[in-house]
Amino acid sequence: IPEAIKMLEELKKIEDEYQQFAAQVFELKRQDKISEVEALVATRGREIGQKFDEQAEKLSAYQNEILDKGNKETSNIAANTKKQILVLGILSVLISIGIAVFIGRLISRPVMKMANQASKIASGDLTVDEIKVKNKDEIGDLADSFNQMTRNLKILIEKIRLDSEQVASSAE
C-alpha cells in the first residue's frame, strides 16, 4: 500500500502541474495569444497527458497485481478448506464404520455364542457352559433366558434319568 500512496501522490503532482498548465493556457487565451496556446498544448499539454496516462497505468497495474495476489490467496484458502472438509468427511466415515463394527460385534458375539450353544443342545450335549454377557439390554435378557432354558433342560433330563432308573429298578 505504501507504493500505491506514492503513485497517488505522483498523480496529485501531475494534477497540480496540469492546473498550473491550464491557468497558463487560460491566461494566454485571455491575452488572445492563440498560436502560443496551440504550441503550449501541443508540447507541454501532451507531455502532461502522457505522464498522467503512464502514472495511471502504473497504478492500475499495481492494483491488478494486488487483486491477482488476493485472488490466489483466496483460492488457496478455499482449496485448503475443501481439503480439510474432505479429510474430516473421510475421518467421520471411518469413525462411523469403526463404531458400527464395534456395536455390531457387541451385539453379534453373544448371539453367535447362543447359536453355537443351541446347536450343541440340539445335538444332545447339555454340558455347555452358561453364556456370560455384560450387556444389560435385550441381548443380555436373551442370554439370561437361554441360560435359564439350558438349566431347566438339564434338570428335566436329570429328572427323566432318575425316573427311568426308578422304573427300571421297580421292574426288577
Side-chain angles (χ1 to χ4, degrees):
I1 294 196
E3 289 180 49
I5 292 172
K6 286 179 185 177
M7 290 178 190
L8 288 171
E9 287 172 353
E10 186 64 32
L11 278 174
K12 176 70 173 138
K13 287 179 188 176
I14 295 171
E15 180 187 11
D16 291 343
E17 188 179 342
Y18 176 77
Q19 292 294 332
Q20 291 173 356
F21 165 77
Q24 192 177 9
V25 166
F26 286 130
E27 181 60 32
L28 288 173
K29 190 162 187 157
R30 192 177 58 81
Q31 294 173 6
D32 206 26
K33 297 180 180 180
I34 302 298
S35 62
E36 289 179 33
V37 168
E38 288 174 355
L40 191 62
V41 168
T43 57
R44 186 141 184 252
R46 184 169 288 157
E47 179 185 311
I48 292 172
Q50 285 176 342
K51 280 201 274 186
F52 185 84
D53 288 345
E54 287 171 6
Q55 195 60 32
E57 184 64 34
K58 283 181 188 177
L59 182 62
S60 177
Y62 180 72
Q63 288 175 333
N64 286 336
E65 181 183 317
I66 290 173
L67 287 173
D68 288 343
K69 190 176 184 181
N71 283 341
K72 286 178 184 176
E73 289 175 3
T74 302
S75 295
N76 288 340
I77 290 170
N80 288 338
T81 302
K82 284 180 184 180
K83 288 176 187 175
Q84 289 174 349
I85 289 172
L86 180 64
V87 167
L88 287 175
I90 290 170
L91 278 173
S92 297
V93 168
L94 292 175
I95 289 171
S96 298
I97 289 171
I99 290 171
V101 167
F102 175 75
I103 291 174
R105 286 185 179 170
L106 195 66
I107 293 171
S108 67
R109 280 185 185 159
V111 171
M112 290 177 68
K113 284 181 184 177
M114 285 184 275
N116 289 337
Q117 298 268 7
S119 293
K120 288 179 182 177
I121 292 171
S123 67
D125 182 8
L126 291 176
T127 63
V128 293
D129 295 328
E130 283 196 7
I131 298 172
K132 307 242 187 306
V133 178
K134 296 176 185 176
N135 300 31
K136 301 290 183 201
D137 56 3
E138 292 83 4
I139 300 295
D141 291 344
L142 181 62
D144 290 342
S145 296
F146 188 83
N147 289 334
Q148 182 63 44
M149 179 190 73
T150 304
R151 285 191 298 274
N152 290 343
L153 279 173
K154 287 178 183 177
I155 292 169
L156 181 65
I157 296 296
E158 185 61 28
K159 277 186 181 180
I160 291 172
R161 188 184 63 76
L162 289 174
D163 287 346
S164 67
E165 282 181 7
Q166 274 184 342
V167 168
S169 69
S170 58
E172 291 178 0

